[in-house]
Amino acid sequence: MSAGKALAPGCVIHGAGDLRVEDVPVPRPGPGEALVAVRYGGVCGSDLHYWRHGGVGDFRLREPMLLGHEVVGTVLSYGSPDTGGPAAGMSVAVHPATPCGVCPECVDGRRNVCRDTRYLGSAARFPHVQGGFAARIVVPAGQVRALPAGLDPRRGALAEPLSVALHAVRRAGDLAGRHVLVTGAGPIGCLVVAAAKAAGAAHVTVTDLLPAALEYARAAGADALVRADDPDDPGRPVDVDTAIEASGVAAGLDTCLRLVRRGGTVVQLGMLPPGRSPFAGNLLVSREIELRGAFRFDGEFDDALRLLAAEPAFDALVSAVVPVREAASAFELAADRSRSCKVLLDFDAPPTAA
């Protein structure tokens, strides 16, 4: 694709602590591509990691990169008239992954762990895959999904993180009638609560250090809230059927292994810090606990859109919408879990100071 002369605002990360709102060239779609006017972009934990630390896990920034992979907007045009997809003018969500389709994982039906995938706003490969935090973006037409009728784009911006939660829940197996523990009540953890409830979980317990975060988990449908730093909390469960670790810290994984029943399942969803992470490995043996990883998602994206359209309660998880020109304050707010759950950037709104 080639760049046009017009410019539009975008959120570019240059290094740890160096986030800039810059006017970037408006791209032109090529064959098989769609030009999308982005309306909302959700600030994800990985975006915060790039902003704070210059990388996510083992993926380090090596060049400036547009952040963002949770985006909704409107189709403006296609690069060729024969390209299929939602009609111009339709509200859409963008699936952020482009798997290679030919690696052993893709052939085996596990495209979410494709070894050569392209993912919006990711430094996993070089040159980096530029993200969706720009007022105009070009993506493969196959990644564009029409929003279901009645789904407000603001709620639709939750499609990507809800897909992550749905995939983790599916990795956990059948949850119907089960007691599920979720460690970590950040945006993903709260969406795991909703996904577990949608999958038929009878009881969901959530642990976190912050009372405000636990209240967001309650809004998502949690049945019991537990302070992670209080071993004497009367709501602290014993022998849960399934545990999903969504905090991304080793202490959360340790909690899951100690509180899940013998023969139970633990799903590690939160991205742990780079390097080695200690955990109670002997419990895997003595209790025959199954430990499974969950990474991104694939077909769950379409399921997430349908679930969002059917359940307006998800609106409670969007705690703030901030004009893109004030991205710095949006990132500060998103990083403060005592004040926010999911923060969206608005690419149409003027600055509040205007």
Side-chain angles (χ1 to χ4, degrees):
M1 73 184 173
S2 58
K5 296 180 180 179
L7 300 175
C11 296
V12 182
I13 188 70
H14 288 257
D18 189 3
L19 174 68
R20 309 178 196 176
V21 179
E22 303 175 351
D23 287 325
V24 298
V26 173
R28 294 174 180 166
E33 294 181 327
L35 175 64
V36 176
V38 174
R39 177 59 198 273
Y40 297 116
V43 180
C44 176
S46 62
D47 298 319
L48 294 177
H49 275 286
Y50 283 123
W51 169 59
R52 284 170 155 174
H53 311 297
V56 175
D58 296 322
F59 307 149
R60 312 303 300 175
L61 283 170
R62 298 168 60 189
E63 64 178 348
M65 182 179 76
L66 275 168
L67 290 174
H69 53 265
E70 304 175 6
V71 294
V72 295
T74 304
V75 172
L76 294 180
S77 64
Y78 290 97
S80 53
D82 59 344
T83 302
M90 291 191 67
S91 293
V92 296
V94 176
H95 191 306
T98 308
C100 73
V102 298
C103 72
E105 292 75 29
C106 284
V107 172
D108 195 36
R110 304 188 68 175
R111 304 196 317 163
N112 61 297
V113 289
C114 168
R115 63 184 63 188
D116 194 30
T117 195
R118 298 180 62 82
Y119 206 88
L120 291 179
S122 171
R125 58 194 299 155
F126 185 82
H128 301 333
V129 181
Q130 298 298 311
F133 280 177
R136 301 290 186 271
I137 62 172
V138 160
V139 294
Q143 291 177 222
V144 176
R145 305 286 200 277
L147 295 189
L151 177 56
D152 184 273
R154 174 172 151 155
R155 193 190 317 156
L158 296 175
E160 195 275 351
L162 179 56
S163 300
V164 172
L166 288 172
H167 181 69
V169 163
R170 289 178 181 175
R171 290 285 291 154
D174 184 7
L175 297 186
R178 301 297 182 92
H179 185 174
V180 178
L181 170 68
V182 180
T183 54
I188 292 293
C190 290
L191 290 167
V192 168
V193 172
K197 283 297 210 178
H203 192 90
V204 178
T205 299
V206 182
T207 68
D208 200 281
L209 294 170
L210 299 177
L214 289 171
E215 288 305 314
Y216 280 112
R218 188 195 304 279
D223 299 288
L225 310 175
V226 176
R227 284 289 297 262
D229 56 351
D230 183 1
D232 299 320
D233 189 312
R236 194 173 181 85
V238 178
D239 288 345
V240 300
D241 299 299
T242 303
I244 300 178
E245 204 300 294
S247 71
V249 297
L253 175 56
D254 186 77
T255 295
C256 289
L257 290 171
R258 295 185 186 281
L259 297 185
V260 76
R261 65 172 173 81
R262 293 174 181 269
T265 300
V266 173
V267 176
Q268 180 62 44
L269 171 59
M271 187 68 75
L272 295 166
R276 298 180 179 180
S277 295
F279 70 101
N282 281 341
L283 295 179
L284 293 177
V285 179
S286 63
R287 299 185 184 180
E288 285 203 350
I289 296 170
E290 293 194 35
L291 177 59
R292 303 171 182 173
F295 186 63
R296 293 177 178 166
F297 56 90
D298 188 22
E300 292 90 352
F301 195 77
D302 299 297
D303 298 329
L305 288 171
R306 287 190 287 269
L307 183 55
L308 287 167
E311 184 49 77
F314 283 105
D315 289 339
L317 301 183
V318 178
S319 48
V321 180
V322 180
V324 64
R325 293 290 183 184
E326 298 168 21
S329 64
F331 273 62
E332 292 281 358
L333 180 60
D336 186 350
R337 294 180 56 242
S338 68
R339 295 193 296 141
S340 70
C341 185
K342 174 57 69 174
V343 175
L344 305 183
L345 292 173
D346 188 337
F347 286 81
D348 277 359
T352 55

